[in-house]
Amino acid sequence: MNLSMSSVESLVAQIHGLSSNIGELTQLRNYLKQCDDLLRTESTRLAPLLTELDPSVHSLGYLYILEACTSAPISKDQANKLVLSVARFINVCAAEQIRLAPEKFISICKRLMLQVMLLEDPMRGVAPLLTSIRKLQSSTEQLTTLHPDFMLLCLLSKCYKIGLSVLEDDIFEVDLPRDLFLYCYYGGMICIGQKQFRKALELLHNVVTAPMPIISAIAVEAYKKYILVSLIHLGQFATSFPKYTSSAAQRNLKNFSQSYLELVNSYSTGKVSEVEKCVEIYKDTFGSDNNLGLVKQVVSSMYKRNIQRLTQTYLTLSLQDIANTVQLNSPKEAEMHVLQMIQEGDIYATINQKDGMVRFLEDPEQYKTCEMIERLDFSIQRIMRLSKKLTTMNEVMSCDPSYLGKVGKERQRFDYDDFYTVPSKFTI
Amino acid sequence: MEAEDDAAGAIIGDEEIYANVRDETDSQRHRPIISGEQLDVEAYAALYTGRTKTTRLLFIADKCGAPSMELEALRMAYDEIKKGENTQLFREVVGKINGRLGPNYALDDAWADAVDRRAELKKDKLENELNAYRTNLIKESIRMGYNDFGDFYYAHGQLGEAFKNYVRTRDYCTTSKHIIHMCLNAILLSIEMGQFTHVTSYVGKAEQTADGLDPVTIAKLRCAAGLSHLEGKKYKLAARKFLEVGPELGNNYTEVISPQDVATYGSLCALASFDRSELKSKVIDNTNFRNFLELVPEIRELINDFHTSHYASCLEYLGNLKTNLLLDIHLHDHVETLYEQIRSKALIQYTLPFVSVDLNMMANAFNTSVTGLEKELEALITNDQIQARIDSHNKILYARHADQRNGTFQRVLQTGNEFDRELRAMLLRANLIKHDYNLKAARKH
C-alpha cells in the first residue's frame, strides 16, 4: 500500500497546525497514535518529511516520524548519520512535547546508545543522553529509564565527573525498580572510580536492601562490591542485614559471596598476612568478577587502618615500631605510608627524620569557623526539607483508599469509644 | 606435720594475737590453710566433711604434680572412702594409687563386696517401706521415704538418682522447714554434679519461703548462690553474695564450703570486679567479713596493699598464692581470669590520678620491664579502659581527656548525615513498594 502524497501532506499539515498549545498537542498525539502503523510500514520513505518540520516547534510530530525512520535496521555507515540526527533532535526538542510520548523518546535514545556502542565511541553519546535525561524528567527527583544507560555510557567512556554530577541529585520517584538497581550499581562503580567511597556505599546499600520479591543478579554483584567498599571505607563489615531488607535477599545473597565473606573474616584479624593469604586463595573468583582492583585497595586500606589505630594509643612512636606493629618490611616503607596518609588527610602527624620518630597530632578542626557554621546551617535546612517531605508523604498515604481499605479490615470491629461499627470497606 | 610446724611458726605467732578476736568455739589450730607455702593436704582436708572432702582430695591428687603430695592426698581419700559406702569411687581411687602406697592401700574386694551386698539389702528394704507408705498415703512418711532413698543413693555415689529422689519430696513437703531441707539437699547435689543452674533456682526457692529461715541457713544459701555466680563467671555478683555471708556460717556448711573459701573467693572476686569505693565499703570496712578475712591473713594483706596502692607487694602475694589456688576445685578455672582482671585494675588505678606518668617508675612499681609494661598499657588503651596516650620516645604516659566540645560537634554532624541518608533511602524504598503494589493492583484488575 503506497502512502499517497496526499496523506503525507495531510500528516505534515496536521503537525504544523496542531503544535501550538497543549490541547492541540493532545489531539495531535491521538492522531499520531492512529497513524503509527502507517508510519511504520513507510519508514524508509519518511526521511524527506523531516526536512519539512522544525524539531524545536514540532517536537512531537518530529519525534514520531524520527522514531519510525530509525526503527528499520541500519548499516554501519548510516549509523553515523543516525547518531548525528538523533543527537541534534535531542538538543533542540521541546521538553513538554516529548513528555507526551515518553516511550517513543526513550526508544530513540536507546537506539542512539546502541549505535554509539556499535561505533565503539561511547563518549559521543554522553552529552546527548545527559540532555535527554534532563528533558524527560518531570523533576530532578525522578529516575527515568535512561538514567542507567547514561551511567553505563559514562563508565564505558570514563567520563566519571559528569556521572557524578547526575548522582548528586536525590532520587525519590522510580518508574521501574530494575532501572533503580542498574542505576545504583553503575553509580556505585563511578563513585568507586572517583574514590568517593561514602556515596558508593550509600548507592550499593540501596540496591542490596531494596524490596525484591526474587533476587536479581544485579543485587548479587552489588552485594560483592558492597562488601569490598565497606571494608575499604569503614574497616569492617556487618554481616547482618538491616530489618528492611527483603527476605529473598537475606536468604540468598550470602550464598553467592562466600569468598568475599572469607575476606571479611581475614580482614577482621587485623593482620595483613592473613588478608593477603585469603586474596591468593580466591584470586580467580575475584578476577572473574572483575573485582581484583578493589581487592587490592582493600589490602592497602588494611595498612592505613592499622596505622590509624596507632594514633589512638601513642603520642610519638618510632618508625621502626610502626613498621613492626603494622607488619611492614622496613622503617622506610612505614615512612612512605605515613607520608601518604598525611597528604591524603587520613591522619595528622609530623615526621621527625632525625630521630626516626612520628609525632601524632590531634585533629586541628576547632569547629569555630564560618564555614562550619554554614555547613551546619545547610544540613539543618536540608533535614527540615526532608522531614517536610516525609510528613507530606505520610499524609498522602493516609488518604489512599487502598491503604485505608486494608487497614480497615484489620481493625477491631467495635471501637470502644463510639458505638458504631468500624467500616471495613470504604465505598467512595 | 612436726616439720611443717616450725616453718609456719612465725605465722602462728601472729595468729595467736588475733585468736582472741574470734569467738569460735572450735579448737582447731589457727594456722592459715591457704598460704603461700605448699599446701598442707591434711589440714586442708580437715576443713571439709562428706563427699566434697574426697572430691577435693582427688582433685588435688590430679592437679598437684608433686608425687609426695599426690600420694598423701590419695591416701587420705582412701581412708575417707573406706569410712563411707561408695564402692565405685573406692575402685577409682585404688586404680589411681596403683599399689604405690603398699599393701594396706590395695583393692579390698572383700570390703567392697560386703558393702555392695549391704547396699542391695538396704535398697530393697527402703523400697518396700516406701511402697508401704505410698499405699498408706501418709505424706510425712512418703517424704521421709524419698529422703532416705536420696541419702542412700548419695552415699553410694549415684548422684543423679539421689537428686531425683530429693526433688520428689517436694510434693510431700508440708512445712517451710521441709521445703528448706529439700532445697538444701538439692543444692548440695547440684553443686556436686556441677549443675549450677539448678543451684540458683533452688536458692531462689528456698529464699522465697516466708519463715523458717534462721541465720545459718541464710548464710548457707548465700554461699551457694555465690558459688553458682562464680561458676557462671559473674564475678561481681559472686563477690557481693560472698561478702554478705554472715559469721554464723562457721563450720556449718563444711560439706560444701569452708569459711576460708568464703574469704578467698569473696576477696578475689571483689578485687577483680569492684571499683575502689565499693572495695572499701564492702570489703575493708565490712565487720562481718573481717571475721572471715582473719582466717586467710595473706589475702587480707593483699587487699590492703591494693587499696593503699602497694601494687608490687600485692601482685607478689597473688603470685605466691597462685599454685595453691589452682588446687581448689571451684576456683581452678577462674584463677587466670581473676588474676588478669586484678592486674588490669591495678594498672588502671595507678594511672588514674596522674596527668603524666613516667613509664620507668611505673615499671618499677609493678616489678616488670618497660617494654612489657608498654604492651600491657597499649592493650588497655585500645580497650578504652585507660584514657591516655603513650609517648614512646620519652617513655611517658600522658592522660588524655577527650575534648567534649569537638566530640559533640563531630557526633552532631555525623548523626545529621546518617539521618539524611537513612531518610532518603527510606523514602526511596517506600516509593518502590508503592510502585510494586500499584503494579500488582493494576494486574489484578
Side-chain angles (χ1 to χ4, degrees), chain A residues 170 172 174-175 202 244 313-316 357 362 366-367 382, chain B residues 378 381 389-393 405 410 420 424 429 431 435:
Chain A
D170 300 326
F172 292 116
V174 175
D175 289 336
E202 194 185 316
Y244 44 78
T313 12
Y314 287 95
L315 258 185
T316 63
M357 280 281 166
E362 294 280 347
Q366 285 296 315
Y367 301 98
R382 201 181 143 82
Chain B
E378 189 184 327
I381 295 176
R389 304 251 292 261
I390 304 178
D391 183 345
S392 185
H393 187 52
R405 186 176 171 280
Q410 256 178 343
D420 187 297
R424 275 185 292 125
R429 275 197 302 278
N431 190 281
H435 177 273

PDB file of all heavy atoms in Angstrom, chain A residues 170 172 174-175 202 244 313-316 357 362 366-367 382, chain B residues 378 381 389-393 405 410 420 424 429 431 435:
ATOM      1  N   ASP A 170      19.082  13.754  44.455  1.00  0.00           N
ATOM      2  CA  ASP A 170      18.426  12.700  45.219  1.00  0.00           C
ATOM      3  C   ASP A 170      17.284  12.143  44.407  1.00  0.00           C
ATOM      4  O   ASP A 170      16.517  12.881  43.814  1.00  0.00           O
ATOM      5  CB  ASP A 170      17.859  13.260  46.530  1.00  0.00           C
ATOM      6  CG  ASP A 170      18.927  13.851  47.385  1.00  0.00           C
ATOM      7  OD1 ASP A 170      20.052  13.318  47.347  1.00  0.00           O
ATOM      8  OD2 ASP A 170      18.654  14.839  48.071  1.00  0.00           O
ATOM      9  N   PHE A 172      13.735  10.178  44.348  1.00  0.00           N
ATOM     10  CA  PHE A 172      12.655   9.694  45.193  1.00  0.00           C
ATOM     11  C   PHE A 172      11.571   8.984  44.424  1.00  0.00           C
ATOM     12  O   PHE A 172      10.743   8.307  44.990  1.00  0.00           O
ATOM     13  CB  PHE A 172      12.024  10.862  45.973  1.00  0.00           C
ATOM     14  CG  PHE A 172      12.947  11.438  47.004  1.00  0.00           C
ATOM     15  CD1 PHE A 172      13.387  12.738  46.897  1.00  0.00           C
ATOM     16  CD2 PHE A 172      13.401  10.661  48.033  1.00  0.00           C
ATOM     17  CE1 PHE A 172      14.251  13.269  47.830  1.00  0.00           C
ATOM     18  CE2 PHE A 172      14.270  11.187  48.981  1.00  0.00           C
ATOM     19  CZ  PHE A 172      14.689  12.485  48.868  1.00  0.00           C
ATOM     20  N   VAL A 174      10.545   6.470  41.209  1.00  0.00           N
ATOM     21  CA  VAL A 174      11.131   5.487  40.312  1.00  0.00           C
ATOM     22  C   VAL A 174      10.062   4.921  39.405  1.00  0.00           C
ATOM     23  O   VAL A 174       8.969   4.602  39.873  1.00  0.00           O
ATOM     24  CB  VAL A 174      11.770   4.352  41.139  1.00  0.00           C
ATOM     25  CG1 VAL A 174      12.281   3.258  40.251  1.00  0.00           C
ATOM     26  CG2 VAL A 174      12.884   4.901  41.989  1.00  0.00           C
ATOM     27  N   ASP A 175      10.399   4.794  38.095  1.00  0.00           N
ATOM     28  CA  ASP A 175       9.417   4.192  37.195  1.00  0.00           C
ATOM     29  C   ASP A 175       9.453   2.674  37.277  1.00  0.00           C
ATOM     30  O   ASP A 175       8.442   2.014  37.412  1.00  0.00           O
ATOM     31  CB  ASP A 175       9.709   4.611  35.748  1.00  0.00           C
ATOM     32  CG  ASP A 175       9.372   6.067  35.526  1.00  0.00           C
ATOM     33  OD1 ASP A 175       8.546   6.586  36.286  1.00  0.00           O
ATOM     34  OD2 ASP A 175       9.940   6.671  34.607  1.00  0.00           O
ATOM     35  N   GLU A 202      26.549   4.178  49.908  1.00  0.00           N
ATOM     36  CA  GLU A 202      25.134   4.515  50.009  1.00  0.00           C
ATOM     37  C   GLU A 202      24.360   3.906  48.845  1.00  0.00           C
ATOM     38  O   GLU A 202      23.321   3.274  49.030  1.00  0.00           O
ATOM     39  CB  GLU A 202      25.023   6.029  49.981  1.00  0.00           C
ATOM     40  CG  GLU A 202      23.706   6.595  50.383  1.00  0.00           C
ATOM     41  CD  GLU A 202      23.706   8.101  50.187  1.00  0.00           C
ATOM     42  OE1 GLU A 202      24.714   8.732  50.570  1.00  0.00           O
ATOM     43  OE2 GLU A 202      22.724   8.608  49.647  1.00  0.00           O
ATOM     44  N   TYR A 244      14.873  -3.970  57.137  1.00  0.00           N
ATOM     45  CA  TYR A 244      14.008  -3.706  55.994  1.00  0.00           C
ATOM     46  C   TYR A 244      14.467  -4.402  54.716  1.00  0.00           C
ATOM     47  O   TYR A 244      13.871  -4.226  53.679  1.00  0.00           O
ATOM     48  CB  TYR A 244      13.899  -2.194  55.763  1.00  0.00           C
ATOM     49  CG  TYR A 244      15.206  -1.451  55.863  1.00  0.00           C
ATOM     50  CD1 TYR A 244      16.117  -1.464  54.819  1.00  0.00           C
ATOM     51  CD2 TYR A 244      15.526  -0.732  57.002  1.00  0.00           C
ATOM     52  CE1 TYR A 244      17.315  -0.781  54.921  1.00  0.00           C
ATOM     53  CE2 TYR A 244      16.721  -0.050  57.105  1.00  0.00           C
ATOM     54  CZ  TYR A 244      17.611  -0.078  56.068  1.00  0.00           C
ATOM     55  OH  TYR A 244      18.792   0.603  56.173  1.00  0.00           O
ATOM     56  N   THR A 313      46.580   5.297  70.421  1.00  0.00           N
ATOM     57  CA  THR A 313      47.284   4.880  71.630  1.00  0.00           C
ATOM     58  C   THR A 313      48.572   5.644  71.879  1.00  0.00           C
ATOM     59  O   THR A 313      48.979   5.793  73.004  1.00  0.00           O
ATOM     60  CB  THR A 313      47.651   3.388  71.552  1.00  0.00           C
ATOM     61  OG1 THR A 313      47.440   2.925  70.236  1.00  0.00           O
ATOM     62  CG2 THR A 313      46.827   2.595  72.507  1.00  0.00           C
ATOM     63  N   TYR A 314      49.208   6.105  70.818  1.00  0.00           N
ATOM     64  CA  TYR A 314      50.527   6.694  71.006  1.00  0.00           C
ATOM     65  C   TYR A 314      50.545   8.170  70.669  1.00  0.00           C
ATOM     66  O   TYR A 314      49.804   8.627  69.808  1.00  0.00           O
ATOM     67  CB  TYR A 314      51.551   5.978  70.109  1.00  0.00           C
ATOM     68  CG  TYR A 314      51.888   4.601  70.610  1.00  0.00           C
ATOM     69  CD1 TYR A 314      51.228   3.491  70.122  1.00  0.00           C
ATOM     70  CD2 TYR A 314      52.851   4.422  71.593  1.00  0.00           C
ATOM     71  CE1 TYR A 314      51.528   2.240  70.585  1.00  0.00           C
ATOM     72  CE2 TYR A 314      53.150   3.176  72.061  1.00  0.00           C
ATOM     73  CZ  TYR A 314      52.488   2.083  71.561  1.00  0.00           C
ATOM     74  OH  TYR A 314      52.780   0.845  72.030  1.00  0.00           O
ATOM     75  N   LEU A 315      51.413   8.886  71.384  1.00  0.00           N
ATOM     76  CA  LEU A 315      51.659  10.272  71.037  1.00  0.00           C
ATOM     77  C   LEU A 315      52.836  10.363  70.087  1.00  0.00           C
ATOM     78  O   LEU A 315      52.832  11.106  69.126  1.00  0.00           O
ATOM     79  CB  LEU A 315      52.006  11.072  72.301  1.00  0.00           C
ATOM     80  CG  LEU A 315      50.891  11.922  72.876  1.00  0.00           C
ATOM     81  CD1 LEU A 315      51.436  12.731  74.026  1.00  0.00           C
ATOM     82  CD2 LEU A 315      50.362  12.880  71.821  1.00  0.00           C
ATOM     83  N   THR A 316      53.894   9.653  70.420  1.00  0.00           N
ATOM     84  CA  THR A 316      55.021   9.569  69.495  1.00  0.00           C
ATOM     85  C   THR A 316      55.403   8.106  69.391  1.00  0.00           C
ATOM     86  O   THR A 316      55.255   7.335  70.331  1.00  0.00           O
ATOM     87  CB  THR A 316      56.250  10.337  70.000  1.00  0.00           C
ATOM     88  OG1 THR A 316      56.689   9.742  71.209  1.00  0.00           O
ATOM     89  CG2 THR A 316      55.956  11.789  70.205  1.00  0.00           C
ATOM     90  N   MET A 357      61.253   9.445  64.381  1.00  0.00           N
ATOM     91  CA  MET A 357      60.040   9.411  65.197  1.00  0.00           C
ATOM     92  C   MET A 357      58.891  10.056  64.460  1.00  0.00           C
ATOM     93  O   MET A 357      59.083  10.991  63.694  1.00  0.00           O
ATOM     94  CB  MET A 357      60.274  10.217  66.482  1.00  0.00           C
ATOM     95  CG  MET A 357      61.036   9.465  67.515  1.00  0.00           C
ATOM     96  SD  MET A 357      59.921   8.340  68.333  1.00  0.00           S
ATOM     97  CE  MET A 357      61.068   7.313  69.144  1.00  0.00           C
ATOM     98  N   GLU A 362      46.542  16.044  67.160  1.00  0.00           N
ATOM     99  CA  GLU A 362      45.082  15.988  67.188  1.00  0.00           C
ATOM    100  C   GLU A 362      44.512  16.618  65.931  1.00  0.00           C
ATOM    101  O   GLU A 362      45.172  17.396  65.249  1.00  0.00           O
ATOM    102  CB  GLU A 362      44.563  16.768  68.400  1.00  0.00           C
ATOM    103  CG  GLU A 362      44.934  16.160  69.722  1.00  0.00           C
ATOM    104  CD  GLU A 362      44.034  15.009  70.079  1.00  0.00           C
ATOM    105  OE1 GLU A 362      42.990  14.853  69.431  1.00  0.00           O
ATOM    106  OE2 GLU A 362      44.376  14.255  70.992  1.00  0.00           O
ATOM    107  N   GLN A 366      38.561  22.992  64.794  1.00  0.00           N
ATOM    108  CA  GLN A 366      38.057  23.514  66.048  1.00  0.00           C
ATOM    109  C   GLN A 366      36.567  23.789  66.000  1.00  0.00           C
ATOM    110  O   GLN A 366      35.967  24.153  66.997  1.00  0.00           O
ATOM    111  CB  GLN A 366      38.777  24.839  66.393  1.00  0.00           C
ATOM    112  CG  GLN A 366      40.184  24.640  66.896  1.00  0.00           C
ATOM    113  CD  GLN A 366      40.198  23.894  68.204  1.00  0.00           C
ATOM    114  OE1 GLN A 366      39.422  24.191  69.094  1.00  0.00           O
ATOM    115  NE2 GLN A 366      41.065  22.913  68.304  1.00  0.00           N
ATOM    116  N   TYR A 367      35.981  23.606  64.848  1.00  0.00           N
ATOM    117  CA  TYR A 367      34.546  23.858  64.686  1.00  0.00           C
ATOM    118  C   TYR A 367      34.176  25.274  65.064  1.00  0.00           C
ATOM    119  O   TYR A 367      33.131  25.524  65.637  1.00  0.00           O
ATOM    120  CB  TYR A 367      33.719  22.861  65.520  1.00  0.00           C
ATOM    121  CG  TYR A 367      33.988  21.442  65.124  1.00  0.00           C
ATOM    122  CD1 TYR A 367      34.871  20.653  65.831  1.00  0.00           C
ATOM    123  CD2 TYR A 367      33.377  20.889  64.005  1.00  0.00           C
ATOM    124  CE1 TYR A 367      35.136  19.353  65.453  1.00  0.00           C
ATOM    125  CE2 TYR A 367      33.628  19.586  63.635  1.00  0.00           C
ATOM    126  CZ  TYR A 367      34.515  18.828  64.362  1.00  0.00           C
ATOM    127  OH  TYR A 367      34.762  17.552  63.984  1.00  0.00           O
ATOM    128  N   ARG A 382      18.409  21.266  55.099  1.00  0.00           N
ATOM    129  CA  ARG A 382      18.179  20.079  54.283  1.00  0.00           C
ATOM    130  C   ARG A 382      17.312  19.076  55.014  1.00  0.00           C
ATOM    131  O   ARG A 382      16.370  18.514  54.458  1.00  0.00           O
ATOM    132  CB  ARG A 382      19.543  19.467  53.965  1.00  0.00           C
ATOM    133  CG  ARG A 382      19.578  18.583  52.808  1.00  0.00           C
ATOM    134  CD  ARG A 382      21.008  18.073  52.677  1.00  0.00           C
ATOM    135  NE  ARG A 382      20.986  16.706  52.254  1.00  0.00           N
ATOM    136  CZ  ARG A 382      20.839  16.318  51.012  1.00  0.00           C
ATOM    137  NH1 ARG A 382      20.719  17.216  50.071  1.00  0.00           N
ATOM    138  NH2 ARG A 382      20.813  15.053  50.712  1.00  0.00           N
TER     139      ARG A 382
ATOM    140  N   GLU B 378      49.213  -0.579  76.140  1.00  0.00           N
ATOM    141  CA  GLU B 378      48.612  -0.416  74.810  1.00  0.00           C
ATOM    142  C   GLU B 378      47.306  -1.185  74.721  1.00  0.00           C
ATOM    143  O   GLU B 378      46.309  -0.674  74.223  1.00  0.00           O
ATOM    144  CB  GLU B 378      49.601  -0.922  73.762  1.00  0.00           C
ATOM    145  CG  GLU B 378      49.169  -0.597  72.363  1.00  0.00           C
ATOM    146  CD  GLU B 378      50.098  -1.192  71.342  1.00  0.00           C
ATOM    147  OE1 GLU B 378      51.305  -1.289  71.633  1.00  0.00           O
ATOM    148  OE2 GLU B 378      49.617  -1.545  70.257  1.00  0.00           O
ATOM    149  N   ILE B 381      44.641   0.668  76.629  1.00  0.00           N
ATOM    150  CA  ILE B 381      44.178   1.883  75.965  1.00  0.00           C
ATOM    151  C   ILE B 381      43.275   1.523  74.797  1.00  0.00           C
ATOM    152  O   ILE B 381      42.238   2.157  74.571  1.00  0.00           O
ATOM    153  CB  ILE B 381      45.368   2.728  75.475  1.00  0.00           C
ATOM    154  CG1 ILE B 381      46.184   3.239  76.654  1.00  0.00           C
ATOM    155  CG2 ILE B 381      44.885   3.900  74.644  1.00  0.00           C
ATOM    156  CD1 ILE B 381      47.418   3.984  76.245  1.00  0.00           C
ATOM    157  N   ARG B 389      47.662   8.553  76.287  1.00  0.00           N
ATOM    158  CA  ARG B 389      48.458   8.233  75.123  1.00  0.00           C
ATOM    159  C   ARG B 389      49.900   8.046  75.563  1.00  0.00           C
ATOM    160  O   ARG B 389      50.338   8.665  76.520  1.00  0.00           O
ATOM    161  CB  ARG B 389      48.366   9.361  74.091  1.00  0.00           C
ATOM    162  CG  ARG B 389      46.951   9.676  73.688  1.00  0.00           C
ATOM    163  CD  ARG B 389      46.670   9.237  72.293  1.00  0.00           C
ATOM    164  NE  ARG B 389      47.418  10.016  71.329  1.00  0.00           N
ATOM    165  CZ  ARG B 389      46.934  11.034  70.646  1.00  0.00           C
ATOM    166  NH1 ARG B 389      45.709  11.426  70.848  1.00  0.00           N
ATOM    167  NH2 ARG B 389      47.676  11.669  69.784  1.00  0.00           N
ATOM    168  N   ILE B 390      50.600   7.191  74.822  1.00  0.00           N
ATOM    169  CA  ILE B 390      51.978   6.870  75.213  1.00  0.00           C
ATOM    170  C   ILE B 390      52.944   7.670  74.355  1.00  0.00           C
ATOM    171  O   ILE B 390      52.851   7.651  73.129  1.00  0.00           O
ATOM    172  CB  ILE B 390      52.256   5.369  75.006  1.00  0.00           C
ATOM    173  CG1 ILE B 390      51.241   4.540  75.786  1.00  0.00           C
ATOM    174  CG2 ILE B 390      53.651   5.036  75.447  1.00  0.00           C
ATOM    175  CD1 ILE B 390      51.431   3.064  75.599  1.00  0.00           C
ATOM    176  N   ASP B 391      53.875   8.330  74.980  1.00  0.00           N
ATOM    177  CA  ASP B 391      54.962   8.976  74.256  1.00  0.00           C
ATOM    178  C   ASP B 391      56.102   7.977  74.245  1.00  0.00           C
ATOM    179  O   ASP B 391      56.849   7.867  75.216  1.00  0.00           O
ATOM    180  CB  ASP B 391      55.342  10.272  74.982  1.00  0.00           C
ATOM    181  CG  ASP B 391      56.422  11.025  74.244  1.00  0.00           C
ATOM    182  OD1 ASP B 391      57.069  10.430  73.356  1.00  0.00           O
ATOM    183  OD2 ASP B 391      56.631  12.196  74.552  1.00  0.00           O
ATOM    184  N   SER B 392      56.188   7.237  73.133  1.00  0.00           N
ATOM    185  CA  SER B 392      57.128   6.126  73.131  1.00  0.00           C
ATOM    186  C   SER B 392      58.565   6.606  73.124  1.00  0.00           C
ATOM    187  O   SER B 392      59.471   5.901  73.542  1.00  0.00           O
ATOM    188  CB  SER B 392      56.842   5.255  71.913  1.00  0.00           C
ATOM    189  OG  SER B 392      57.642   4.129  71.929  1.00  0.00           O
ATOM    190  N   HIS B 393      58.767   7.795  72.621  1.00  0.00           N
ATOM    191  CA  HIS B 393      60.121   8.304  72.508  1.00  0.00           C
ATOM    192  C   HIS B 393      60.697   8.606  73.887  1.00  0.00           C
ATOM    193  O   HIS B 393      61.800   8.220  74.227  1.00  0.00           O
ATOM    194  CB  HIS B 393      60.076   9.576  71.664  1.00  0.00           C
ATOM    195  CG  HIS B 393      61.423  10.119  71.341  1.00  0.00           C
ATOM    196  ND1 HIS B 393      62.419   9.359  70.780  1.00  0.00           N
ATOM    197  CD2 HIS B 393      61.941  11.346  71.501  1.00  0.00           C
ATOM    198  CE1 HIS B 393      63.496  10.099  70.603  1.00  0.00           C
ATOM    199  NE2 HIS B 393      63.239  11.310  71.035  1.00  0.00           N
ATOM    200  N   ARG B 405      33.670  19.413  73.506  1.00  0.00           N
ATOM    201  CA  ARG B 405      33.030  20.275  72.507  1.00  0.00           C
ATOM    202  C   ARG B 405      33.239  19.735  71.107  1.00  0.00           C
ATOM    203  O   ARG B 405      32.285  19.562  70.344  1.00  0.00           O
ATOM    204  CB  ARG B 405      33.604  21.679  72.634  1.00  0.00           C
ATOM    205  CG  ARG B 405      32.915  22.683  71.754  1.00  0.00           C
ATOM    206  CD  ARG B 405      33.457  24.069  71.986  1.00  0.00           C
ATOM    207  NE  ARG B 405      32.932  24.962  70.984  1.00  0.00           N
ATOM    208  CZ  ARG B 405      33.406  25.061  69.764  1.00  0.00           C
ATOM    209  NH1 ARG B 405      34.421  24.314  69.415  1.00  0.00           N
ATOM    210  NH2 ARG B 405      32.870  25.875  68.888  1.00  0.00           N
ATOM    211  N   GLN B 410      31.365  16.742  66.248  1.00  0.00           N
ATOM    212  CA  GLN B 410      31.573  15.626  65.334  1.00  0.00           C
ATOM    213  C   GLN B 410      30.371  14.714  65.322  1.00  0.00           C
ATOM    214  O   GLN B 410      29.891  14.294  64.265  1.00  0.00           O
ATOM    215  CB  GLN B 410      32.788  14.820  65.790  1.00  0.00           C
ATOM    216  CG  GLN B 410      33.994  15.058  64.952  1.00  0.00           C
ATOM    217  CD  GLN B 410      35.165  14.278  65.477  1.00  0.00           C
ATOM    218  OE1 GLN B 410      35.178  13.816  66.611  1.00  0.00           O
ATOM    219  NE2 GLN B 410      36.148  14.129  64.656  1.00  0.00           N
ATOM    220  N   ASP B 420      20.001  11.880  57.349  1.00  0.00           N
ATOM    221  CA  ASP B 420      19.756  12.274  55.967  1.00  0.00           C
ATOM    222  C   ASP B 420      19.741  11.046  55.056  1.00  0.00           C
ATOM    223  O   ASP B 420      18.800  10.802  54.297  1.00  0.00           O
ATOM    224  CB  ASP B 420      20.894  13.222  55.571  1.00  0.00           C
ATOM    225  CG  ASP B 420      20.686  13.862  54.216  1.00  0.00           C
ATOM    226  OD1 ASP B 420      20.650  13.119  53.213  1.00  0.00           O
ATOM    227  OD2 ASP B 420      20.583  15.076  54.180  1.00  0.00           O
ATOM    228  N   ARG B 424      16.410   9.359  53.179  1.00  0.00           N
ATOM    229  CA  ARG B 424      16.290   9.306  51.726  1.00  0.00           C
ATOM    230  C   ARG B 424      16.114   7.876  51.244  1.00  0.00           C
ATOM    231  O   ARG B 424      15.303   7.579  50.377  1.00  0.00           O
ATOM    232  CB  ARG B 424      17.516   9.929  51.064  1.00  0.00           C
ATOM    233  CG  ARG B 424      17.395  11.424  50.923  1.00  0.00           C
ATOM    234  CD  ARG B 424      18.530  12.031  50.178  1.00  0.00           C
ATOM    235  NE  ARG B 424      19.768  11.939  50.921  1.00  0.00           N
ATOM    236  CZ  ARG B 424      20.870  11.397  50.435  1.00  0.00           C
ATOM    237  NH1 ARG B 424      20.875  10.904  49.227  1.00  0.00           N
ATOM    238  NH2 ARG B 424      21.959  11.345  51.166  1.00  0.00           N
ATOM    239  N   ARG B 429      12.630   3.538  49.191  1.00  0.00           N
ATOM    240  CA  ARG B 429      12.061   2.200  49.332  1.00  0.00           C
ATOM    241  C   ARG B 429      10.550   2.247  49.357  1.00  0.00           C
ATOM    242  O   ARG B 429       9.877   1.402  48.774  1.00  0.00           O
ATOM    243  CB  ARG B 429      12.557   1.545  50.615  1.00  0.00           C
ATOM    244  CG  ARG B 429      13.891   0.862  50.480  1.00  0.00           C
ATOM    245  CD  ARG B 429      14.103  -0.074  51.620  1.00  0.00           C
ATOM    246  NE  ARG B 429      14.020   0.626  52.889  1.00  0.00           N
ATOM    247  CZ  ARG B 429      15.024   1.295  53.418  1.00  0.00           C
ATOM    248  NH1 ARG B 429      16.186   1.324  52.815  1.00  0.00           N
ATOM    249  NH2 ARG B 429      14.881   1.916  54.572  1.00  0.00           N
ATOM    250  N   ASN B 431       8.701   4.362  47.936  1.00  0.00           N
ATOM    251  CA  ASN B 431       8.257   4.580  46.562  1.00  0.00           C
ATOM    252  C   ASN B 431       8.271   3.282  45.767  1.00  0.00           C
ATOM    253  O   ASN B 431       7.347   2.982  45.009  1.00  0.00           O
ATOM    254  CB  ASN B 431       9.164   5.617  45.914  1.00  0.00           C
ATOM    255  CG  ASN B 431       8.631   6.067  44.583  1.00  0.00           C
ATOM    256  OD1 ASN B 431       8.784   5.380  43.584  1.00  0.00           O
ATOM    257  ND2 ASN B 431       7.975   7.205  44.558  1.00  0.00           N
ATOM    258  N   HIS B 435       5.121   1.433  44.122  1.00  0.00           N
ATOM    259  CA  HIS B 435       5.113   1.096  42.698  1.00  0.00           C
ATOM    260  C   HIS B 435       4.761  -0.355  42.489  1.00  0.00           C
ATOM    261  O   HIS B 435       3.929  -0.718  41.657  1.00  0.00           O
ATOM    262  CB  HIS B 435       6.500   1.403  42.137  1.00  0.00           C
ATOM    263  CG  HIS B 435       6.635   1.031  40.713  1.00  0.00           C
ATOM    264  ND1 HIS B 435       6.996  -0.222  40.306  1.00  0.00           N
ATOM    265  CD2 HIS B 435       6.435   1.745  39.600  1.00  0.00           C
ATOM    266  CE1 HIS B 435       7.027  -0.259  39.003  1.00  0.00           C
ATOM    267  NE2 HIS B 435       6.692   0.915  38.537  1.00  0.00           N
TER     268      HIS B 435
END
